[in-house]
Amino acid sequence: MEKENTLTVAVLGAGNIGSAMARGLAGSGHTVHLYNRGAARLESFGSMPGVVPTQSLEDALRGADLSLICVEGHAVMPLIGAMGRFLESQSVVVGSCAAAISTEELSEALGRFVSQPKVFRLLPNIAATAGKSTNLLCAKGIGNSDLSALQSIFECTGTTLIVEERLFPAAMALSSCGIAYAMRYVRATMSAGVQLGLSPAVAEAITAGVLDGTAALLASGKHPEELIDTVTTPGGLTIRGLNAMEAAGFTPSVIAGLTAAAKV
Ligand SMILES: NC(=O)c1ccc[n+]([C@@H]2O[C@H](COP(=O)([O-])OP(=O)(O)OC[C@H]3O[C@@H](n4cnc5c(N)ncnc54)[C@H](OP(=O)(O)O)[C@@H]3O)[C@@H](O)[C@H]2O)c1
């Protein structure tokens, strides 16, 4: 699994996440065998370059270097059971996007068919559908160079971070759940903007632009508090707003929400 090679990837499940993965992988030159149980979700992929849609698990796995399971959590183990007789090589690499299934469980299930299972978890968030996911990656039975190759392969759907599996609940609270929290922040700023006389569309456009600009500023490597200092003129309006938000419990609310979401 060399970084520079294009691969044949079996993406198993064509829901929101599987479709996004298929688009990203095909867009970066890989060949995708996109399997789905039902026909409906495959229809839009009929003429997409690099994607071969199929309802046959056997066809999807034939010649695949890598498989990525993107079905609902309850369907993962039955799917691995069904994959067993079609796996062509002992060195097959199988990953899963399911939120709550560990590499230990994946390895045990795949171990019924191959002697030394190579498994990974890839936890995207829903921004994968816009090519802007923050993916979390960990693996079992896969060496560092292949892990870094996987990281590079999945950059096609957004940033991919290698995270220790024991920290997945924490990282998922910030990443997968984080989209919902950021959206709630957007909705709150829109409510304030409308109260102040802006149209919802203008309030939304301003907030989206601010979030985009904030991400770009963070890429400079500066600490958030240093960047805040550049905006908060002493005695000015920004610090007045910030202090009013903190008095209403902004930081403790965010910490309480994230720690609640990270409880397993
Ligand atoms: N959405 C997120 O933000 C997010 C983030 C991180 C991880 N994930 C994980 O990604 C996986 C897919 O999520 P999603 O949001 O893409 O779901 P989704 O859009 O609802 O799609 C569900 C997929 O699972 C398939 N499926 C359901 N039951 C099945 C069964 N019994 N046998 C075979 N296939 C079955 C569906 O196939 P049919 O069309 O045939 O029903 C469809 O391909 C889940 O494991 C989820 O935990 C999702």
Side-chain angles (χ1 to χ4, degrees):
M1 208 167 43
E2 298 297 324
K3 280 181 193 180
E4 61 270 19
N5 284 353
T6 54
L7 303 174
T8 297
V9 184
V11 175
L12 309 176
N16 289 315
I17 294 298
S19 298
M21 290 295 157
R23 272 191 213 96
L25 288 163
S28 62
H30 300 291
T31 299
V32 176
H33 294 174
L34 180 60
Y35 162 84
N36 202 65
R37 174 186 60 171
R41 295 184 201 258
L42 295 174
E43 276 166 18
S44 61
F45 289 94
S47 57
M48 187 174 290
V51 180
V52 184
T54 178
Q55 284 181 267
S56 158
L57 191 54
E58 182 176 11
D59 287 351
L61 295 176
R62 188 176 299 122
D65 302 294
L66 186 69
S67 299
L68 181 64
I69 298 172
C70 301
V71 297
E72 282 177 25
H74 66 83
V76 171
M77 290 306 171
L79 186 65
I80 293 178
M83 288 165 71
R85 66 198 169 104
F86 302 129
L87 294 174
E88 292 175 342
S89 140
Q90 284 290 308
S91 61
V92 66
V93 178
V94 176
S96 156
C97 289
I101 298 180
S102 67
T103 55
E104 185 64 46
E105 292 167 299
L106 292 170
S107 181
E108 199 181 313
L110 194 65
R112 285 162 34 216
F113 310 108
V114 297
S115 54
Q116 289 182 317
K118 296 180 177 184
V119 297
F120 67 93
R121 284 173 79 184
L122 182 80
L123 253 295
N125 65 28
I126 199 66
T129 55
K132 290 272 189 182
S133 179
T134 305
N135 299 320
L136 312 173
L137 175 67
C138 69
K140 186 173 166 63
I142 291 177
N144 284 344
S145 101
D146 278 350
L147 184 60
S148 112
L150 284 172
Q151 180 181 28
S152 156
I153 289 163
F154 290 111
E155 293 279 329
C156 63
T157 54
T159 307
T160 300
L161 304 170
I162 296 171
V163 176
E164 279 181 67
E165 190 164 19
R166 70 182 177 85
L167 295 173
F168 259 45
M172 281 162 60
L174 271 69
S175 173
S176 314
C177 313
I179 294 282
Y181 307 144
M183 288 298 175
R184 187 55 68 86
Y185 171 79
V186 171
R187 199 183 82 178
T189 63
M190 287 174 67
S191 298
V194 171
Q195 187 174 327
L196 292 166
L198 299 172
S199 71
V202 168
E204 183 182 322
I206 292 172
T207 307
V210 165
L211 291 178
D212 199 32
T214 302
L217 288 168
L218 283 171
S220 71
K222 286 188 178 157
H223 190 279
E225 216 52 49
E226 192 182 345
L227 293 164
I228 288 173
D229 280 348
T230 64
V231 189
T232 47
T233 312
L237 297 175
T238 308
I239 190 65
R240 209 184 290 176
L242 211 45
N243 286 345
M245 282 185 197
E246 290 300 345
F250 182 79
T251 297
S253 296
V254 172
I255 292 172
L258 288 165
T259 50
K263 285 206 174 87
V264 284

